[in-house]
């Protein structure tokens, strides 16, 4: 093959996506269709107004908007529609496997009973595999605003239904004023039941909560974790224990977790030897996709073919997919890098 430019390489690079929220992944078109169908909603029904609605002033404002969009998703059929659109978008980014965060308690608050949610996830997962060749895993995330009771209820759902593809328990939402350590009992119960522990930590706060996620919750990966960067001992621990950070650069700028991309700590995390995987968080709300996140790393941080391939490999190794799928993705990455290497010789 001829020497590809970096965009062609990124587009072809087989990937996994490990940090992605179901409702936040909905495309602008999907959200407009839902808002037009629900005139009682506070979400705009025309594209320009929705664009302005998605301009976030800070993390709390983002969470507030997210909750309003979540209220548009009211039936199992809506969930399947979201998964269909998401799988199509992922396939367009050469994503083979994605772990999707599903906030079951919030879905129920907007009208979807647990029975219907479990069925919709099963249907959407089968459809994604068949129609797009994309495999979904599920992380059932608790919203910190609903406290530890909400987290217990989330885990009850995961254990009672355990939809095919169930990976683990997550914890998202507001970080300030929330102590990860309070969630130790529910994460212990999840671990005892064989679930993986995958909380957000250090998205908008410093290293103390990342430490708590690791030592108190038994986190096996960290959602964001960028707040770790100021603590060399923590970075050393993350590297030594092979705890990957799910880093979402565009998200961090959109929610004002970092002032701009130039200030993003990703290069310092990589330099410290921490396993870093790239993700989109809420691609529909942040006007991004996974290819864009890889290109951002090229343009902003100067990462080339070898480094971007390594990030894709880190993702495959940190994914809780089957060993077969992991091996296939790693082989595909090697094949692409080899082809590019031959072309540039
Ligand atoms: Zn997130």
């Amino acid at each position: 093959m001829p020497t590809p430019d970096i965009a062609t390489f990124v587009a072809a690079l087989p990937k996994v996506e490990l940090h992605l929220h179901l409702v936040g992944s909905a495309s602008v078109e999907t959200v407009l269709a839902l808002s037009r169908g629900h005139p009682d909603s506070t979400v705009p029904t025309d594209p320009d107004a929705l664009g302005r609605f998605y301009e976030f002033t800070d993390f709390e404002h983002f969470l507030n908007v997210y909750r309003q969009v979540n209220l548009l998703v009211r039936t199992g059929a809506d969930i399947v529609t979201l998964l269909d659109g998401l799988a199509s978008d992922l396939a367009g980014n050469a994503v083979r496997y994605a772990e999707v965060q599903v906030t079951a308690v919030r879905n129920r608050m907007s009208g979807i009973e647990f029975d219907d949610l479990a069925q919709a996830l099963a249907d959407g997962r089968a459809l994604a595999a068949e129609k797009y060749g994309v495999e979904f895993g599920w992380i059932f995330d608790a919203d910190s605003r609903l406290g530890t009771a909400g987290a217990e209820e989330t885990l009850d759902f995961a254990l009672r239904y355990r939809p095919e593809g169930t990976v683990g328990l997550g914890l998202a939402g507001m970080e300030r004023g929330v102590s990860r350590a309070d969630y130790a009992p529910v994460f212990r119960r999840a671990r005892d039941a064989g679930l993986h522990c995958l909380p957000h930590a250090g998205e908008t706060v410093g290293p103390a909560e990342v430490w708590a996620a690791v030592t108190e919750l038994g986190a096996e990966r960290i959602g964001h974790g960028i707040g770790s960067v100021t603590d060399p001992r923590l970075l050393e621990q993350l590297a030594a224990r092979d705890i990957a950070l799910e880093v979402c650069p565009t998200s961090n700028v959109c929610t004002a977790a970092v002032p701009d991309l130039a200030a993003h700590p990703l290069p310092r995390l990589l330099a410290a030897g921490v396993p870093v995987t790239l993700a989109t968080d809420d691609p529909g709300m942040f006007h991004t996709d996974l290819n864009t996140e890889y290109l951002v790393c090229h343009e902003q941080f100067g990462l080339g073919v070898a480094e971007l391939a390594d990030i894709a490999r880190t993702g495959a190794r940190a994914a809780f997919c089957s060993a077969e799928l992991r091996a296939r993705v790693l082989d595909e990455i090697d094949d692409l890098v080899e082809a590019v290497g031959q072309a540039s010789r």
Side-chain angles (χ1 to χ4, degrees), residues 146-187:
L146 302 174
T148 53
E152 295 285 356
E153 221 179 329
T154 302
L155 180 57
D156 289 343
F157 167 79
L159 297 182
R160 177 167 167 212
Y161 292 91
R162 222 161 177 145
E164 202 176 327
T166 294
V167 165
L169 180 67
L171 174 60
M174 204 61 190
E175 286 188 322
R176 278 180 213 288
V178 174
S179 163
R180 306 280 113 179
D182 291 347
Y183 292 80
V186 67
F187 274 88

Side-chain angles (χ1 to χ4, degrees), residues 80-102:
V80 176
T81 300
L82 294 187
L83 290 169
D84 190 344
L86 173 57
S88 168
D89 294 344
L90 290 171
N93 283 261
V95 173
R96 310 292 192 247
Y97 171 78
E99 288 177 16
V100 182
Q101 311 231 1
V102 179

Side-chain angles (χ1 to χ4, degrees), residues 8 17 19 30 49 58 62 98 102 116 122 128 142 169 207 255 262 281 307 309 323:
T8 308
E17 157 79 90
H19 193 110
T30 301
D58 59 19
F62 160 72
V102 179
D116 296 336
L169 180 67
T255 65
D281 211 3
E307 291 95 345

Side-chain angles (χ1 to χ4, degrees), residues 19-21 101 172 200 203 224 248 281-282:
H19 193 110
L20 181 63
H21 297 265
Q101 311 231 1
H200 289 57
E203 179 176 10
H224 297 282
C248 313
D281 211 3
D282 302 287

Side-chain angles (χ1 to χ4, degrees), residues 32-47:
L32 287 173
L34 287 169
S35 64
R36 286 168 186 154
H38 299 304
D40 58 319
S41 157
T42 49
V43 179
T45 52
D46 84 79

